């Protein structure tokens, strides 16, 4: 190549800036979700209950005007219903819209990480950020991050989880904090606060880590004064309150403000663990994922050290606060630890893991070694060896389609009043394009809960729907083919006993045969007999 051509190439690269990397990382997000989430067209059907619940709630909200917490029940934050409601507008009876929303979130996260890394390492170090993000993409889409995970899947689990959007918002808040370091930008402070508000509107307990991390960034920056800190804090509070107020106003104007508080705040407060229980969970979590969490801790320290690389008391205080933010975030993840299916709760820890990776690459590449290429290559080999979630062998798409046809044929044009009795939403509402007819249209936890079986509990309320004739079809999930000694997850013995009692009474009947739906799960469909003359007596069925 001549000097003239070489100079022309340099000028072109300088003119393009980081746009080529940005476009590449955006498309990379679509590729990771293609392999890592069952919302992808690569898979037959998304049988993850949480994702189907969010889609059902969001579709009912945006298309039917049924408000979360007032007309239909789930206890996640309203923002996830809004996001998945938009996905439902794109593909009302499928998952293409969800795949696009997840891919946008993943691609945006990769771009944000790249921009963060440029700020932490300097704009001259464009190779390290790009290699770091690509390595993270490979690890996220494979089982390599969590090799002890009993499910044959990546950290994304089956996909469609709220934690992916939380990850994107957390990353944006970190980028915004880094942007405010030199410029004291009020706008970026507002963006940081708005991102935090988004997290609050999905899982409000996870925001506790943020003040500690902000304190770490303030300590680390020698230019920070009380005036600058107050200005930054004012911007963050302004951005936070604007988003929160907008969402609350939507509910208040429709007269549903009280329900928003009672369910999203009040109901979720029941899940508050004891301190000893949380510490015990952290112990199990660390023992099961030692390498992942250790690297995350190193990344937390790196976030406190990278901006100014201070080696004095303020620098060590910054590192300590950043580490504390990491530990608090883990502590807030109630219940993630020993349940493999909840491993996606670890997704918000990925920014810390990315910071550790940057630190590692930064040290290696400054020594001029070839490890900058060897480590991503090793991660790629792990990815090839374990290509994420296997294709759905249970033929869930065919099962859902068959259930949908059975109900449609039986209903003969009548409105379809379906209840997920004692179990979570399996996507049948979506396949039927039906709106749930009752408030507790599904049970948010398949486990039998002895302390929540009072007269006003979810289970008892579902009983009343059947007793009053408000439901014509019931979908239930049963555990099958479990190894000896393994406790079934999809289980609500009281509801299953009640349905068996109703079938024996002759007021309800099985509709079709039991069908395998997901690993170790079978679904059964029941129909209310239309010629019955009296409501079913279910009061003693739980005995």
């Amino acid at each position: 190549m001549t000097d003239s051509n070489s100079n022309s190439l340099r000028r072109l690269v300088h003119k393009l800036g980081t746009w080529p990397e940005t476009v590449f990382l955006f498309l990379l997000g679509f590729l990771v979700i293609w392999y890592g989430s069952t919302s992808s067209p690569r898979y037959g059907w998304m049988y993850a209950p949480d994702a189907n619940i969010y889609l059902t709630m969001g579709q009912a909200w945006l298309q039917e005007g049924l408000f979360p917490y007032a007309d239909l029940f789930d206890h996640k934050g309203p923002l996830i219903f809004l996001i998945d409601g938009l996905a439902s507008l794109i593909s009302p009876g499928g998952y293409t819209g969800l795949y696009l929303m997840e891919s946008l979130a993943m691609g945006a996260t990769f771009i944000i990480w790249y921009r963060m890394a440029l700020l932490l390492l300097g704009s001259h170090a464009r190779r390290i950020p790009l290699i770091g993000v690509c390595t993270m993409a490979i690890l996220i889409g494979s089982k390599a991050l969590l090799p002890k995970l009993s499910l044959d899947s990546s950290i994304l689990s089956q996909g469609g989880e709220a934690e992916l959007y939380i990850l994107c918002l957390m990353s944006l808040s970190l980028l915004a904090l880094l942007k405010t370091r030199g410029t004291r930008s009020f706008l970026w402070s507002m963006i940081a606060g708005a991102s935090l508000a988004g997290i609050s509107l999905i899982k409000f307990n996870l925001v506790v880590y943020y003040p500690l991390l902000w304190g770490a960034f303030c300590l680390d920056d020698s230019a920070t004064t009380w005036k600058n800190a107050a200005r930054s804090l004012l911007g963050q509070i302004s951005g936070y309150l604007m988003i929160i107020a907008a969402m609350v106003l939507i509910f208040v104007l429709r007269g549903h403000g009280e329900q928003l508080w009672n369910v999203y705040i009040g109901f979720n407060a029941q899940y508050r663990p004891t301190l000893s229980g949380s510490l015990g969970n952290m112990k199990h979590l660390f023992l099961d994922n030692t390498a992942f969490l250790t690297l995350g801790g190193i990344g937390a320290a790196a976030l406190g050290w990278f901006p100014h690389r201070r080696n004095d008391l303020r620098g060590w205080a910054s590192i300590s606060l950043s580490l504390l933010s990491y530990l608090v975030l883990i502590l807030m993840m109630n219940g993630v630890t020993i349940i493999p299916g909840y491993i996606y709760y670890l997704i918000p820890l990925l920014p810390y893991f990315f910071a550790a990776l940057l630190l590692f690459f930064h040290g290696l590449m400054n020594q001029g070694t070839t490890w900058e290429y060897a480590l991503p290559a090793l991660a790629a080999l792990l990815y090839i060896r374990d290509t994420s979630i296997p294709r759905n062998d249970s033929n869930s798409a065919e099962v859902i389609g068959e259930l949908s046809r059975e109900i449609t044929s039986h209903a003969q044009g009548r409105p379809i009043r379906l209840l997920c009795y004692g179990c979570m939403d399996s996507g049948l509402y979506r396949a039927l394009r039906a709106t749930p007819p009752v408030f507790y249209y599904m049970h948010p936890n398949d486990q039998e809960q002895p302390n929540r079986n009072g007269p006003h509990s979810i289970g008892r309320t579902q009983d009343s729907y059947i007793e009053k004739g408000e439901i014509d079809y019931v979908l239930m999930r049963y555990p099958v083919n479990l190894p000896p000694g393994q406790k079934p997850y999809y289980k609500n013995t009281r509801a299953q006993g009640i349905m068996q009692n109703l079938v024996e009474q002759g007021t309800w009947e099985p509709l079709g045969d039991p069908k395998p739906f997901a690993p170790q799960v079978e679904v059964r469909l029941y129909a209310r007999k239309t010629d019955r003359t009296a409501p079913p007596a279910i009061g003693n069925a739980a005995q």
Side-chain angles (χ1 to χ4, degrees):
M1 180 180 292
T2 65
D3 290 342
S4 176
N5 290 336
S6 178
N7 291 334
S8 298
L9 181 61
R10 290 194 188 98
R11 286 194 297 269
L12 178 62
V13 170
H14 179 74
K15 186 176 181 179
L16 289 175
T18 59
W19 275 107
E21 292 96 328
T22 299
V23 172
F24 169 74
L25 293 174
F26 182 71
L27 297 177
L28 186 61
F30 281 76
L31 182 62
V32 169
I33 298 300
W34 177 270
Y35 281 98
S37 171
T38 51
S39 67
S40 163
R42 179 173 182 259
Y43 303 99
W45 190 261
M46 171 169 276
Y47 55 80
D50 286 352
N52 282 298
I53 290 170
Y54 307 151
L55 288 164
T56 298
M57 297 284 289
Q59 184 168 331
W61 187 8
L62 296 189
Q63 296 186 25
E64 304 293 337
L66 300 178
F67 265 66
Y69 320 124
D71 301 306
L72 296 175
F73 175 82
D74 187 51
H75 57 94
K76 280 294 194 301
L79 183 57
I80 187 62
F81 305 138
L82 184 60
I83 293 171
D84 281 20
L86 294 174
S88 292
L89 292 177
I90 298 172
S91 54
Y95 297 97
T96 302
L98 181 59
Y99 168 69
L100 292 176
M101 298 300 285
E102 286 193 280
S103 298
L104 289 172
M106 192 81 266
T109 300
F110 289 159
I111 294 170
I112 291 168
W113 285 354
Y114 179 70
R115 300 288 178 181
M116 281 173 51
L118 288 177
L119 290 173
L120 290 171
L121 301 179
S123 58
H124 62 282
R126 287 171 63 176
R127 286 187 304 163
I128 300 177
L130 185 61
I131 292 172
V133 175
C134 289
T135 303
M136 285 295 295
I138 292 170
L139 294 175
I140 289 171
S142 74
K143 197 176 174 180
L145 273 179
L146 303 167
K148 290 187 177 180
L149 185 61
S150 62
L151 291 178
D152 189 11
S153 67
S154 70
I155 194 172
L156 297 176
S157 191
Q158 280 82 38
E161 301 297 346
E163 281 70 18
L164 179 59
Y165 305 108
I166 292 175
L167 171 66
C168 185
L169 291 167
M170 281 185 63
S171 301
L172 181 58
S173 68
L174 284 171
L175 176 64
L177 285 179
L178 289 171
K179 284 283 191 180
T180 62
R181 280 190 304 130
T183 62
R184 313 295 170 205
S185 169
F186 191 79
L187 175 61
W188 277 106
S189 295
M190 290 186 66
I191 292 173
S195 303
L196 195 66
I199 298 172
S200 299
L201 292 171
I202 298 177
K203 277 192 172 182
F204 64 84
N205 62 316
L206 294 189
V207 301
V208 180
Y209 82 97
Y210 182 84
L212 295 167
L213 195 58
W214 176 65
F217 279 38
C218 288
L219 281 174
D220 198 54
D221 190 352
S222 58
T224 297
T225 63
W226 286 107
K227 182 179 179 180
N228 291 335
R231 175 182 170 84
S232 174
L233 183 61
L234 179 61
Q236 292 172 62
I237 292 175
S238 300
Y240 184 88
L241 292 179
M242 283 176 58
I243 301 300
I244 295 294
M247 183 64 77
V248 171
L249 190 62
I250 292 173
F251 281 82
V252 170
L253 290 178
R254 292 296 299 270
H256 302 318
E258 182 179 359
Q259 290 90 338
L260 172 65
W261 174 267
N262 289 342
V263 176
Y264 184 46
I265 304 299
F267 182 89
N268 282 311
Q270 300 179 30
Y271 291 95
R272 183 179 66 252
T274 63
L275 179 60
S276 60
S278 294
L279 292 176
N281 285 346
M282 287 179 67
K283 176 183 176 182
H284 285 290
L285 177 65
F286 188 81
L287 291 176
D288 288 342
N289 305 284
T290 306
F292 175 81
L293 292 176
T294 300
L295 286 171
I298 294 172
L303 281 176
W305 173 80
F306 257 130
H308 289 278
R309 296 152 170 84
R310 300 177 62 97
N311 192 23
D312 55 12
L313 182 61
R314 285 184 64 165
W316 284 106
S318 173
I319 291 172
S320 299
L321 275 179
S322 184
L323 276 168
L324 187 59
S325 75
Y326 178 69
L327 293 174
V328 166
L329 184 57
I330 296 175
L331 196 63
M332 290 296 104
M333 295 176 183
N334 172 37
V336 334
T337 54
I338 55 177
I339 304 177
Y342 290 173
I343 206 68
Y344 51 81
Y345 278 28
L346 295 176
I347 291 175
L349 300 179
L350 289 176
Y352 295 97
F353 191 93
F354 176 61
L357 208 59
L358 284 182
L359 184 67
F360 187 60
F361 280 131
H362 179 67
L364 287 177
M365 294 179 71
N366 282 346
Q367 300 300 319
T369 69
T370 59
W371 282 96
E372 60 187 271
Y373 304 108
L375 196 65
L378 177 61
L381 289 175
L382 290 170
Y383 186 73
I384 294 170
R385 178 186 62 82
D386 186 337
T387 54
S388 180
I389 306 170
R391 290 185 179 273
N392 190 351
D393 294 332
S394 60
N395 299 315
S396 297
E398 289 78 6
V399 171
I400 285 291
E402 189 174 346
L403 292 172
S404 177
R405 288 189 294 273
E406 288 174 349
I407 292 178
T408 303
S409 174
H410 188 273
Q412 295 181 348
R414 295 188 301 269
I416 297 174
R417 302 189 300 173
L418 171 68
L419 174 69
C420 294
Y421 189 32
C423 66
M424 300 176 77
D425 187 353
S426 300
L428 187 53
Y429 290 105
R430 189 153 194 78
L432 290 166
R433 301 194 182 188
T435 302
V438 290
F439 183 65
Y440 291 125
Y441 69 97
M442 56 84 197
H443 198 296
N445 193 325
D446 289 305
Q447 294 285 2
E448 183 72 41
Q449 300 179 10
N451 296 329
R452 297 183 187 173
N453 282 331
H456 303 294
S457 69
I458 295 175
R460 298 296 186 185
T461 305
Q462 285 195 330
D463 297 347
S464 71
Y465 298 148
I466 297 175
E467 188 168 12
K468 295 175 182 177
E470 298 177 13
I471 296 297
D472 297 318
Y473 300 97
V474 159
L475 180 72
M476 303 188 71
R477 300 166 72 132
Y478 288 77
V480 292
N481 302 323
L482 296 181
Q486 180 176 332
K487 184 178 180 181
Y489 179 75
Y490 299 108
K491 180 182 180 183
N492 190 323
T493 55
R494 187 182 59 81
Q496 292 166 6
I498 288 173
M499 183 50 61
Q500 182 62 34
N501 183 281
L502 296 176
V503 171
E504 292 174 356
Q505 290 180 15
T507 54
W508 283 72
E509 61 184 349
L511 189 60
D513 299 322
K515 299 172 178 62
F517 180 68
Q520 300 175 346
V521 175
E522 140 183 309
V523 291
R524 302 181 189 180
L525 191 62
Y526 297 89
R528 183 169 63 94
K529 290 187 176 180
T530 56
D531 59 347
R532 68 192 182 107
T533 57
I538 66 174
N540 298 322
Q543 302 299 323

